[in-house]
Amino acid sequence: MNEMSDNYDDKDGFDSNNWRRNDQDYNDYRSDHSSDLNNGNEQFDSGSYTFTSENSQKKSKKRSYTFLKCLAGVLALVIVGAGGVKVIKFLRETRDELAEFSGSTNKTVVNKVDEIKPIENDEKEKMPSLIELASRADAKPLPDIVDSIMPSVVGVASTFEFTPQQSFSIWGWNSQPQPQKARATGTGFIISDDGYIVTNAHVVYDENYNAGEAIEVSVLFSDETEHEANIIAYDPETDIAVLKVNETGLKPAELGDSDELRVGELVIAVGNPLGFDLFGTVTSGIVSALNRKIDINEKKMSLIQTDAAINSGNSGGPLLNSCGQVVGINSAKMSSSYSSNMASVEGLCFAIPMKEAKGIIDDLINYKYVTGRPQIGVYTNDISEAESRYWNIPVGVYVYTVQEGGAAEMAGIQVGDVIIDIEGEAIATHQELQEVINKFKAGDTINITVSRQGKDLKFKVVLQEKKYLSEKQRAFMKDNSRTVEN
């Protein structure tokens, strides 16, 4: 660029000395031709002398600047192009080196400039569904679970006989009510190939209407064949019963461990809601809570809570995990109206944990009662505050009957005593009494405090094993609905 500037100055001749020299020549010229110019005898030849004016110099400058700009633009494009080629070459070499360093067998990396490809829909990562998120890692497809469990699910039909209470009509009091029969349905599942079936105790034994044990029980299989069943035993406290049909080669359900359940895990319920017309209905949900303490028929139970639909007729059916294993026995549902404000509730269903049920089922089959369960051998009533003030006795549990040869009789407890304390814990209801007793086992010795004729007496009681109730004992409890065995 400096060389171009020098040439530019030489060509234009803007030196001050040149200007003076030109002025002298011009004066000489004017002196030599002054007469001609003045006289007009000779014609002035404009081509004999070249004069560069100031305007012509500016135009020359503009042409020179335009040329330089064009030249500079061309050079810039050449430089940018050459630089771009170098950058692309560098990136390709670096890409291959990185591929070799990472150990990739294919050094060809997708070039975003040359090989951009649209992502297909099937190549996009799919979000897991709710069922997949709630299932275990070794879960089975739901249709496979249903196909596997359905031959093990049965319908249970029980026939009860009861005598209605005396009623009044336009003809007066009905002094001789006639016995009536009622039919109830539930669900069960096979646990052995030789015909043992598990269901709920309330399916074959009624406490609400004092109907007692069912007089007939039949079982409907998934192949629509019906068989007569025998009641082996039942336990109202845990709401578990065992039936038996004289069939072999049956398919038992696979039992699982309810202790492995987690809140939020997928569960499937199978049963016969509202009768056998909807036999084998399948519903699903999640585990809403574990070890939920619920009072059912004045019995406190620790149950699995789920939002899988369990309706009337589902009682006794299996609750399955996502591997197809039975982890619970469907037992209860909160009614549509709950508590004093009549709030509507849905999705509150409960099942008996299979871990607890296994031992009870084995005892019912082998011993016809639940072994190891402690008792003191009394029948009791609760004393309310109003009754306490009226009878001038303390609030507690009134001993209504003492079993002959039972633990309480052997310790010295009598009819009319009011139990007010066990092992330092105050007792106000039979439920509290039973909860404390259940902390111990048969053979343990406990301290019981009773109030007798205004005096507090303490007794050491050796707990006995609570055995199966006889029909006579059940009849006694029916006649005294407030009487509870402890």
Side-chain angles (χ1 to χ4, degrees):
M1 296 297 290
N2 292 332
E3 183 180 356
M4 292 175 61
S5 300
D6 293 340
N7 292 335
Y8 182 83
D9 292 337
D10 293 341
K11 182 181 291 185
D12 290 343
F14 285 147
D15 187 80
S16 61
N17 294 328
N18 291 335
W19 276 106
R20 287 192 294 271
R21 185 171 55 251
N22 291 338
D23 290 340
Q24 183 65 35
D25 292 341
Y26 178 74
N27 293 330
D28 292 342
Y29 176 84
R30 285 185 59 86
S31 63
D32 293 340
H33 297 82
S34 59
S35 59
D36 296 334
L37 292 172
N38 294 328
N39 298 328
N41 293 331
E42 292 186 16
Q43 187 176 2
F44 179 74
D45 185 3
S46 61
S48 61
Y49 182 77
T50 301
F51 178 78
T52 302
S53 66
E54 183 177 356
N55 292 333
S56 65
Q57 290 175 4
K58 290 181 178 179
K59 292 180 181 179
S60 177
K61 287 180 181 181
K62 290 181 179 179
R63 287 194 296 269
S64 299
Y65 279 126
T66 303
F67 173 76
L68 291 175
K69 290 179 180 178
C70 294
L71 182 59
V74 172
L75 289 175
L77 291 174
V78 172
I79 292 172
V80 171
V85 172
K86 291 290 186 181
V87 170
I88 293 174
K89 183 177 179 182
F90 172 77
L91 291 176
R92 287 180 176 176
E93 292 175 354
T94 304
R95 176 193 61 199
D96 293 339
E97 290 176 0
L98 289 175
E100 182 178 359
F101 178 78
S102 62
S104 175
T105 57
N106 183 8
K107 296 182 180 181
T108 303
V109 183
V110 176
N111 193 315
K112 293 184 178 180
V113 178
D114 300 330
E115 302 180 14
I116 296 178
K117 296 181 180 179
I119 300 176
E120 301 294 338
N121 290 333
D122 57 353
E123 293 179 358
K124 294 180 180 178
E125 183 178 359
K126 295 181 179 179
M127 290 297 293
S129 65
L130 178 61
I131 291 179
E132 292 173 333
L133 290 173
S135 300
R136 296 186 176 186
D138 55 348
K140 298 179 181 178
L142 291 183
D144 292 348
I145 293 176
V146 175
D147 291 341
S148 178
I149 192 62
M150 202 56 71
S152 304
V153 177
V154 301
V156 180
S158 301
T159 301
F160 296 92
E161 185 176 68
F162 66 99
T163 301
Q165 294 181 350
Q166 189 179 40
S167 60
F168 180 80
S169 67
I170 60 174
W171 308 108
W173 288 98
N174 183 8
S175 59
Q176 295 181 344
Q178 298 297 317
Q180 298 182 8
K181 291 184 178 181
R183 189 171 185 264
T185 60
T187 308
F189 58 94
I190 302 169
I191 61 170
S192 68
D193 59 359
D194 58 349
Y196 281 101
I197 296 170
V198 171
T199 187
N200 281 147
H202 72 260
V203 174
V204 296
Y205 177 77
D206 175 76
E207 292 180 300
N208 294 331
Y209 301 98
N210 293 325
E213 186 177 308
I215 59 174
E216 292 181 3
V217 178
S218 61
V219 171
L220 180 67
F221 286 84
S222 59
D223 60 1
E224 298 185 355
T225 59
E226 190 170 0
H227 303 268
E228 186 177 337
N230 297 318
I231 300 174
I232 299 299
Y234 50 88
D235 181 46
E237 289 192 21
T238 56
D239 199 19
I240 297 176
V242 177
L243 312 178
K244 178 73 165 61
V245 294
N246 294 323
E247 299 290 333
T248 58
L250 303 178
K251 182 181 179 181
E254 181 182 357
L255 304 183
D257 188 355
S258 56
D259 285 351
E260 295 179 356
L261 284 176
R262 299 173 60 191
V263 175
E265 182 177 339
L266 176 71
V267 286
I268 304 100
V270 183
N272 313 312
L274 307 179
F276 295 159
D277 290 340
L278 302 177
F279 185 96
T281 296
V282 180
T283 57
S284 65
I286 61 170
V287 175
S288 303
L290 297 171
N291 301 318
R292 186 70 82 188
K293 305 297 183 182
I294 301 295
D295 290 333
I296 299 178
N297 295 330
E298 298 183 351
K299 299 179 180 67
K300 185 174 289 293
M301 304 178 69
S302 180
L303 304 175
I304 301 168
Q305 181 182 336
T306 176
D307 64 350
I310 299 175
N311 296 291
S312 177
N314 279 95
S315 297
L319 185 71
L320 310 167
N321 60 18
S322 56
C323 298
Q325 300 170 329
V326 179
V327 291
I329 304 172
N330 299 326
S331 180
K333 174 187 178 182
M334 286 294 183
S335 62
S336 58
S337 297
Y338 181 73
S339 78
S340 59
N341 59 5
M342 301 296 287
S344 177
V345 293
E346 291 294 338
L348 295 179
C349 304
F350 301 91
I352 303 167
M354 203 63 214
K355 182 69 175 293
E356 176 185 343
K358 280 182 179 179
I360 295 171
I361 293 169
D362 290 341
D363 282 349
L364 293 178
I365 293 175
N366 296 323
Y367 305 102
K368 306 299 184 294
Y369 70 96
V370 179
T371 62
R373 183 175 290 165
Q375 69 170 358
I376 59 177
V378 295
Y379 292 92
T380 62
N381 283 340
D382 295 345
I383 302 298
S384 65
E385 292 185 1
E387 291 172 328
S388 172
R389 291 192 296 269
Y390 183 82
W391 295 105
N392 194 26
I393 57 177
V395 174
V397 178
Y398 181 81
V399 177
Y400 192 87
T401 300
V402 177
Q403 291 182 358
E404 185 179 351
E409 184 186 53
M410 295 177 65
I413 296 175
Q414 302 175 2
V415 173
D417 289 346
V418 179
I419 299 175
I420 59 175
D421 181 279
I422 296 180
E423 289 293 320
E425 295 188 36
I427 302 299
T429 65
H430 74 270
Q431 184 171 334
E432 293 177 355
L433 172 62
Q434 192 62 51
E435 287 177 1
V436 175
I437 292 175
N438 288 339
K439 294 179 181 179
F440 302 89
K441 60 181 183 294
D444 290 345
T445 301
I446 60 174
N447 295 308
I448 296 180
T449 302
V450 303
S451 175
R452 180 185 298 171
Q453 297 178 354
K455 295 181 180 180
D456 292 347
L457 304 176
K458 292 186 178 181
F459 300 92
K460 289 186 177 295
V461 180
V462 180
L463 296 175
Q464 295 178 336
E465 188 176 59
K466 185 176 181 179
K467 297 186 178 181
Y468 183 74
L469 297 176
S470 67
E471 288 293 335
K472 183 178 180 180
Q473 290 173 321
R474 291 197 196 103
F476 178 82
M477 293 178 65
K478 282 190 242 179
D479 295 337
N480 301 274
S481 57
R482 292 182 58 201
T483 302
V484 181
E485 179 188 20
N486 296 103

